[in-house]
Amino acid sequence: MASKSDIAARLSALRTLLKSEGLDGLIVPRADAHQSEVAAPHDDRLAFITGFTGSAGLALVLEDKALIFVDGRYEIQVRHEVSAALYEVHHLHNDPIDSWLAAHGSKGWRIGFDPMLIDTALYDRLAASAERAGFTLVPISKDPFDAIWTDRPEKPLGRIRPMSPTLAGETVAAKTARLGRKIADAGADMMAETLPDNIAWLLNLRGSDIAMNPVPQSFMVLNADGAVVWFVDSRKLPNDLTAFELEEVSVRPAEEFIPFVHSAAASRTVLIDQSFAPVALRLAVEGAGGTVLSADNPLTLAKARKTPAELAGYRACHVEDGIALTEFLAWLEREAPGRAANGNPIREIEAEDRLLAFRARRKGFLEASFRSISASGANAAMCHYNAGPQSDAAITPDGPYLIDSGGQYENGTTDVTRTLFLAAPEDRVRATYTAVLKGFIALITAQFPEGTCGHQLDALARLPLWQMGLDYDHGTGHGVGHNLLVHEYPHRFAKKANHYGLEPGNIMTIEPGYYEADGYGLRIENQVEVTAALPGFCRFRSLTLAPIDLKPVDIAALSPQEIAFINDYHATVRETLADHVSDDARDFLMRSTRALEA
């Protein structure tokens, strides 16, 4: 982690460079050109200039001050990582950068931005702020960090591998023809795509540019007739392409993407993703005299409804994942109390490594799907905490231990959270954990009309906490890719409106929690499949198979229906896993899944 003096020196260098370019400030997003949640080291400009390592945020660097904007998941983390003497902290959504600029921007300011890093929606908000305050947004063509980041990592060159049509459930030719028709139906001649997971899904391939995110960084143009131009560094591809389905795909260098769109857009209508496309695309199309159709991405929506083959893969890999997680929970429950008593406690990093080792033994496992949140005590109050050498806390009976983890398998992606108690908690923790469990059950057992949106269901998971005057500042669940990104757009459970209706074949997580700053954190998370129920209605089928710790639960606070759900779920976990775990883990499994009495 960079020191305060390092960050101060970097800020000074950036300000000197901006002044030489006639700029009064620079917007520094967390995003790369693909709006990736996890950036490659080469693209992590925000971490370089601020020290903040979270997955969402942006900074505004001015001549005499600097600001960083992060969402509620990182309000604790940002104050640990970013110097208050160098940066003001603002909420990414409640006090966004465009509102701050509208209120505080000075007439005549020239604020620089990279049009490949700013999406069209944010650009429009910034442009409105500029008009209101009288400053100018200045697109920059050169990356200023190339000049001041002397040891900047190289751009990634991760190897690309094929995804078998057997696992994908559909050939590239069938997908491109189907999506080409959707582009034509939308009234466009072509679509410019910048999301690597969409491209990987469409072309039945996977990559390794960023650890745990098995997609290659690339761009694509898909024409209404199904023709594909793929913009990628060819050094990522093997010499032998016989296992790939690229016969009808034209491959070009990544740096030709924007010039190609500009040359191809004249007198044509180009569909771009209204949520993620960089404004550089819109400027390229409009600059060529073309027409921009800003719409929902048909590729994103098609990817979210999994094929039967993909669904079978999820179900199979969750059995493997459940075995690994159960082995880990059994090991932790067995070893942690004694080691804590002997003065040699298990610590967060050791536990994280042990869980990864259990997963590595499972069939089809490739790598983790994200860096595990292995969090003991107060560290778990940081929703997206990652253990480091300085924060590596002991796992003891003094408080709960939260482990949020997942795996990338050849046939799917997993994401699961369990909170483990080695001793009976105090009454307040017991009450909040019980409320989290009740909210989890309320949502996972819901039956709802097909097409219901995530925000319409989100309150089900929060209500037990709301009744205690409590809440949590993150979403209640997200989509999950098929050996793709663990956080997959567009579906989401959250307070914020999400206008994408749920339908059979969608894969989601359900993960309510509660966090007390400097105290503890609680979360229960299962991955689920949306399935058909009564005619016109849907329900959730749990994919995750692992015991839920019931030791701290106030059983008297549970309804007969809640107890029935727990018993049914644990019976499924027990029956599925019992013959596949070790003897020690089987004993833990049997004890942890015993039926509760109403």
Side-chain angles (χ1 to χ4, degrees):
M1 181 180 296
S3 67
K4 176 183 174 182
S5 60
D6 289 336
I7 299 299
R10 295 168 185 177
L11 272 172
S12 178
L14 180 58
R15 285 172 169 141
T16 299
L17 180 63
L18 295 179
K19 188 173 182 178
S20 71
E21 297 290 333
L23 296 172
D24 298 288
L26 179 70
I27 298 169
V28 185
R30 174 62 174 77
D32 59 15
H34 311 279
Q35 297 294 310
S36 305
E37 182 179 10
V38 180
H42 172 274
D43 295 318
D44 205 349
R45 302 166 182 83
L46 187 63
F48 173 79
I49 202 65
T50 68
F52 174 66
T53 62
S55 63
L58 56 79
L60 173 63
V61 177
L62 301 169
E63 182 179 3
D64 58 350
K65 70 189 308 179
L67 304 87
I68 184 168
F69 300 79
V70 301
D71 67 27
R73 295 171 296 172
Y74 298 112
E75 286 186 314
I76 299 173
Q77 180 178 330
V78 71
R79 298 180 195 281
H80 282 275
E81 294 182 336
V82 178
S83 169
L86 299 176
Y87 282 90
E88 292 180 8
V89 177
H90 295 258
H91 198 287
L92 187 63
H93 306 298
N94 299 340
D95 183 22
I97 184 174
D98 51 299
S99 296
W100 190 92
L101 281 168
H104 302 285
S106 293
K107 189 173 182 179
W109 269 1
R110 288 169 49 81
I111 303 297
F113 73 100
D114 186 332
M116 281 301 290
L117 305 182
I118 298 291
D119 65 64
T120 55
L122 176 56
Y123 174 81
D124 287 340
R125 299 202 313 270
L126 290 168
S129 298
E131 183 175 359
R132 176 178 170 185
F135 65 87
T136 301
L137 287 173
V138 181
I140 57 175
S141 57
K142 294 189 301 182
D143 186 343
F145 289 89
D146 282 338
I148 66 169
W149 194 346
T150 56
D151 59 347
R152 188 174 191 174
E154 296 295 324
K155 292 181 179 180
L157 283 173
R159 300 299 289 172
I160 297 174
R161 58 183 168 86
M163 164 69 81
S164 164
T166 302
L167 292 176
E170 190 174 11
T171 65
V172 170
K175 289 180 182 180
T176 54
R178 177 161 63 95
L179 270 298
R181 290 192 294 271
K182 288 185 177 295
I183 292 168
D185 291 344
D189 300 297
M190 56 187 275
M191 179 176 73
E193 179 62 89
T194 62
L195 294 180
D197 62 323
N198 280 356
I199 298 168
W201 176 83
L202 183 72
L203 300 182
N204 281 351
L205 48 82
R206 300 295 185 264
S208 54
D209 282 332
I210 301 173
M212 301 173 284
N213 293 255
V215 297
Q217 291 186 338
S218 64
F219 306 100
M220 184 184 71
V221 169
L222 174 61
N223 290 290
D225 63 2
V228 176
V229 185
W230 183 28
F231 301 86
V232 65
D233 191 323
S234 61
R235 289 176 294 176
K236 300 178 185 181
L237 288 162
N239 293 328
D240 183 0
L241 298 178
T242 55
F244 292 81
E245 300 174 76
L246 299 176
E247 296 83 2
E248 304 301 321
V249 176
S250 174
V251 180
R252 293 193 173 201
E255 56 269 22
E256 293 183 8
F257 175 57
I258 292 296
F260 180 92
V261 171
H262 179 78
S263 64
S267 303
R268 302 181 77 191
T269 298
V270 182
L271 190 155
I272 65 173
D273 191 312
Q274 65 180 359
S275 300
F276 291 99
V279 72
L281 273 179
R282 191 170 81 187
L283 298 177
V285 173
E286 293 173 345
T291 301
V292 170
L293 174 62
S294 185
D296 286 337
N297 191 325
L299 231 170
T300 299
L301 295 172
K303 180 176 89 273
R305 185 160 190 165
K306 311 306 178 188
T307 67
E310 289 172 327
L311 293 172
Y314 281 106
R315 296 168 193 148
C317 76
H318 271 280
V319 174
E320 300 297 326
D321 208 60
I323 295 168
L325 184 57
T326 300
E327 292 281 0
F328 167 78
L329 293 173
W331 168 80
L332 192 66
E333 185 189 71
R334 182 176 66 251
E335 298 293 330
R339 285 185 49 180
N342 292 332
N344 180 33
I346 296 171
R347 294 186 174 274
E348 294 165 337
I349 293 176
E350 180 186 352
E352 177 183 357
D353 291 344
R354 180 59 68 100
L355 177 53
L356 184 59
F358 280 122
R359 279 200 171 99
R361 301 173 189 172
R362 305 316 312 163
K363 179 182 177 182
F365 179 77
L366 300 172
E367 60 180 336
S369 56
F370 58 97
R371 171 80 193 278
S372 293
I373 300 170
S374 176
S376 180
N379 287 340
M382 295 179 277
C383 305
H384 280 212
Y385 164 82
N386 291 133
Q390 303 303 316
S391 65
D392 190 16
I395 300 172
T396 71
D398 296 334
Y401 167 70
L402 185 153
I403 178 71
D404 184 347
S405 67
Q408 293 286 5
Y409 292 80
E410 292 177 350
N411 52 355
T413 301
T414 70
D415 183 3
V416 53
T417 305
R418 290 294 183 263
T419 306
L420 189 68
F421 294 78
L422 301 177
E426 61 184 60
D427 290 345
R428 177 173 172 80
V429 179
R430 179 183 294 275
T432 51
Y433 183 76
T434 302
V436 169
L437 177 61
K438 288 172 71 69
F440 169 85
I441 296 171
L443 183 50
I444 204 169
T445 58
Q447 182 167 278
F448 51 92
E450 182 174 342
T452 298
C453 299
H455 65 277
Q456 296 172 305
L457 298 172
D458 180 75
L460 294 174
R462 297 179 189 268
L463 183 58
L465 285 166
W466 285 352
Q467 291 171 332
M468 299 173 65
L470 305 175
D471 200 1
Y472 51 92
D473 194 7
H474 63 70
T476 303
H478 55 82
V480 180
H482 180 254
N483 188 210
L484 287 170
L485 303 183
V486 72
H487 291 162
E488 183 172 90
Y489 191 76
H491 298 98
R492 181 173 172 81
F493 299 121
K495 294 178 185 178
K496 185 178 179 181
N498 178 287
H499 299 293
Y500 301 96
L502 293 164
E503 59 183 4
N506 294 153
I507 300 293
M508 301 292 295
T509 66
I510 293 175
E511 48 182 305
Y514 177 70
Y515 313 90
E516 194 161 289
D518 300 319
Y520 60 92
L522 311 168
R523 186 158 65 248
I524 301 170
E525 175 188 14
N526 273 24
Q527 201 168 315
V528 296
E529 172 188 343
V530 180
T531 64
L534 298 175
F537 278 74
C538 295
R539 60 181 177 84
F540 298 115
R541 176 187 184 274
S542 184
L543 292 167
T544 299
L545 295 162
I548 298 169
D549 194 347
L550 301 178
K551 295 189 299 293
V553 174
D554 180 2
I555 304 300
L558 300 180
S559 70
Q561 292 78 17
E562 290 167 335
I563 290 175
F565 165 80
I566 292 170
N567 288 342
D568 288 346
Y569 174 69
H570 272 164
T572 299
V573 172
R574 183 172 59 250
E575 292 162 6
T576 305
L577 303 183
D579 291 339
H580 304 287
V581 296
S582 65
D583 291 342
D584 285 339
R586 186 177 302 110
D587 176 67
F588 165 81
L589 177 65
M590 295 304 182
R591 287 186 287 104
S592 300
T593 60
R594 279 196 299 256
L596 299 175
E597 295 184 7

mmCIF file of all heavy atoms in Angstrom, residues 9 35-36 53 110 201 319 368 375 397 402 495 525 535 559:
data_model
loop_
_atom_site.group_PDB
_atom_site.id
_atom_site.type_symbol
_atom_site.label_atom_id
_atom_site.label_comp_id
_atom_site.label_asym_id
_atom_site.label_seq_id
_atom_site.Cartn_x
_atom_site.Cartn_y
_atom_site.Cartn_z
ATOM 1 N N ALA A 9 3.147 12.923 -3.366
ATOM 2 C CA ALA A 9 4.072 13.177 -4.465
ATOM 3 C C ALA A 9 3.398 12.922 -5.815
ATOM 4 O O ALA A 9 3.618 13.664 -6.784
ATOM 5 C CB ALA A 9 5.316 12.296 -4.309
ATOM 6 N N GLN A 35 -15.385 -0.610 -18.318
ATOM 7 C CA GLN A 35 -16.188 -0.448 -17.101
ATOM 8 C C GLN A 35 -16.103 -1.700 -16.228
ATOM 9 O O GLN A 35 -17.077 -2.115 -15.593
ATOM 10 C CB GLN A 35 -17.647 -0.135 -17.454
ATOM 11 C CG GLN A 35 -17.837 1.175 -18.209
ATOM 12 C CD GLN A 35 -17.483 2.398 -17.376
ATOM 13 O OE1 GLN A 35 -17.939 2.546 -16.262
ATOM 14 N NE2 GLN A 35 -16.655 3.275 -17.939
ATOM 15 N N SER A 36 -14.932 -2.305 -16.172
ATOM 16 C CA SER A 36 -14.741 -3.519 -15.389
ATOM 17 C C SER A 36 -14.825 -3.214 -13.899
ATOM 18 O O SER A 36 -14.309 -2.198 -13.426
ATOM 19 C CB SER A 36 -13.379 -4.147 -15.688
ATOM 20 O OG SER A 36 -13.208 -4.377 -17.072
ATOM 21 N N THR A 53 -8.464 0.973 -2.746
ATOM 22 C CA THR A 53 -8.421 -0.276 -3.507
ATOM 23 C C THR A 53 -9.793 -0.885 -3.763
ATOM 24 O O THR A 53 -9.883 -2.004 -4.260
ATOM 25 C CB THR A 53 -7.556 -1.314 -2.771
ATOM 26 O OG1 THR A 53 -8.141 -1.609 -1.492
ATOM 27 C CG2 THR A 53 -6.139 -0.805 -2.573
ATOM 28 N N ARG A 110 -11.330 24.318 -16.764
ATOM 29 C CA ARG A 110 -11.203 23.311 -17.815
ATOM 30 C C ARG A 110 -10.905 21.981 -17.108
ATOM 31 O O ARG A 110 -9.816 21.789 -16.558
ATOM 32 C CB ARG A 110 -10.074 23.677 -18.787
ATOM 33 C CG ARG A 110 -10.411 24.858 -19.693
ATOM 34 C CD ARG A 110 -9.180 25.371 -20.455
ATOM 35 N NE ARG A 110 -8.431 24.313 -21.112
ATOM 36 C CZ ARG A 110 -8.746 23.767 -22.297
ATOM 37 N NH1 ARG A 110 -9.808 24.228 -22.960
ATOM 38 N NH2 ARG A 110 -8.000 22.824 -22.820
ATOM 39 N N TRP A 201 -18.893 -14.438 -23.837
ATOM 40 C CA TRP A 201 -20.074 -15.307 -23.919
ATOM 41 C C TRP A 201 -20.478 -15.534 -25.367
ATOM 42 O O TRP A 201 -20.747 -16.673 -25.773
ATOM 43 C CB TRP A 201 -21.230 -14.677 -23.138
ATOM 44 C CG TRP A 201 -22.509 -15.441 -23.247
ATOM 45 C CD1 TRP A 201 -22.886 -16.525 -22.514
ATOM 46 C CD2 TRP A 201 -23.576 -15.194 -24.172
ATOM 47 N NE1 TRP A 201 -24.126 -16.974 -22.921
ATOM 48 C CE2 TRP A 201 -24.573 -16.174 -23.940
ATOM 49 C CE3 TRP A 201 -23.788 -14.242 -25.164
ATOM 50 C CZ2 TRP A 201 -25.757 -16.218 -24.667
ATOM 51 C CZ3 TRP A 201 -24.966 -14.283 -25.901
ATOM 52 C CH2 TRP A 201 -25.939 -15.275 -25.641
ATOM 53 N N VAL A 319 -22.414 -28.521 -6.270
ATOM 54 C CA VAL A 319 -22.185 -29.705 -5.445
ATOM 55 C C VAL A 319 -20.709 -29.767 -5.053
ATOM 56 O O VAL A 319 -20.364 -29.971 -3.873
ATOM 57 C CB VAL A 319 -22.612 -30.989 -6.180
ATOM 58 C CG1 VAL A 319 -22.234 -32.223 -5.360
ATOM 59 C CG2 VAL A 319 -24.111 -30.975 -6.459
ATOM 60 N N ALA A 368 -10.356 -19.046 -7.818
ATOM 61 C CA ALA A 368 -11.390 -18.358 -7.062
ATOM 62 C C ALA A 368 -12.157 -17.425 -7.993
ATOM 63 O O ALA A 368 -11.646 -16.988 -9.023
ATOM 64 C CB ALA A 368 -10.769 -17.568 -5.916
ATOM 65 N N ALA A 375 -13.101 -12.485 7.226
ATOM 66 C CA ALA A 375 -13.173 -11.332 8.119
ATOM 67 C C ALA A 375 -13.617 -11.730 9.512
ATOM 68 O O ALA A 375 -14.717 -12.266 9.704
ATOM 69 C CB ALA A 375 -14.119 -10.279 7.546
ATOM 70 N N PRO A 397 -13.313 -17.222 19.664
ATOM 71 C CA PRO A 397 -14.709 -17.270 20.113
ATOM 72 C C PRO A 397 -15.270 -15.917 20.535
ATOM 73 O O PRO A 397 -16.458 -15.825 20.854
ATOM 74 C CB PRO A 397 -14.647 -18.235 21.314
ATOM 75 C CG PRO A 397 -13.432 -19.053 21.091
ATOM 76 C CD PRO A 397 -12.450 -18.114 20.459
ATOM 77 N N LEU A 402 -16.813 -14.087 9.387
ATOM 78 C CA LEU A 402 -17.557 -14.049 8.126
ATOM 79 C C LEU A 402 -16.634 -14.469 7.000
ATOM 80 O O LEU A 402 -15.529 -13.946 6.869
ATOM 81 C CB LEU A 402 -18.096 -12.637 7.898
ATOM 82 C CG LEU A 402 -19.011 -12.388 6.696
ATOM 83 C CD1 LEU A 402 -19.949 -11.198 6.979
ATOM 84 C CD2 LEU A 402 -18.224 -12.095 5.422
ATOM 85 N N LYS A 495 -32.257 -1.380 -3.198
ATOM 86 C CA LYS A 495 -33.251 -0.317 -3.048
ATOM 87 C C LYS A 495 -33.389 0.478 -4.341
ATOM 88 O O LYS A 495 -34.485 0.896 -4.714
ATOM 89 C CB LYS A 495 -32.836 0.627 -1.919
ATOM 90 C CG LYS A 495 -32.822 0.022 -0.530
ATOM 91 C CD LYS A 495 -32.352 1.070 0.471
ATOM 92 C CE LYS A 495 -32.198 0.504 1.854
ATOM 93 N NZ LYS A 495 -31.686 1.522 2.808
ATOM 94 N N GLU A 525 -25.475 -15.805 2.569
ATOM 95 C CA GLU A 525 -25.651 -15.688 1.109
ATOM 96 C C GLU A 525 -25.745 -17.053 0.459
ATOM 97 O O GLU A 525 -24.905 -17.921 0.683
ATOM 98 C CB GLU A 525 -24.474 -14.930 0.496
ATOM 99 C CG GLU A 525 -24.511 -14.864 -1.031
ATOM 100 C CD GLU A 525 -23.238 -14.284 -1.617
ATOM 101 O OE1 GLU A 525 -22.228 -14.179 -0.886
ATOM 102 O OE2 GLU A 525 -23.253 -13.950 -2.813
ATOM 103 N N PRO A 535 -48.415 -21.028 -13.068
ATOM 104 C CA PRO A 535 -48.421 -20.360 -14.365
ATOM 105 C C PRO A 535 -48.253 -18.849 -14.218
ATOM 106 O O PRO A 535 -49.003 -18.186 -13.495
ATOM 107 C CB PRO A 535 -49.797 -20.716 -14.933
ATOM 108 C CG PRO A 535 -50.120 -22.039 -14.302
ATOM 109 C CD PRO A 535 -49.555 -21.957 -12.909
ATOM 110 N N SER A 559 -40.793 -18.379 12.732
ATOM 111 C CA SER A 559 -42.138 -18.902 12.511
ATOM 112 C C SER A 559 -42.057 -20.372 12.111
ATOM 113 O O SER A 559 -40.989 -20.860 11.696
ATOM 114 C CB SER A 559 -42.823 -18.120 11.400
ATOM 115 O OG SER A 559 -42.218 -18.406 10.142
#
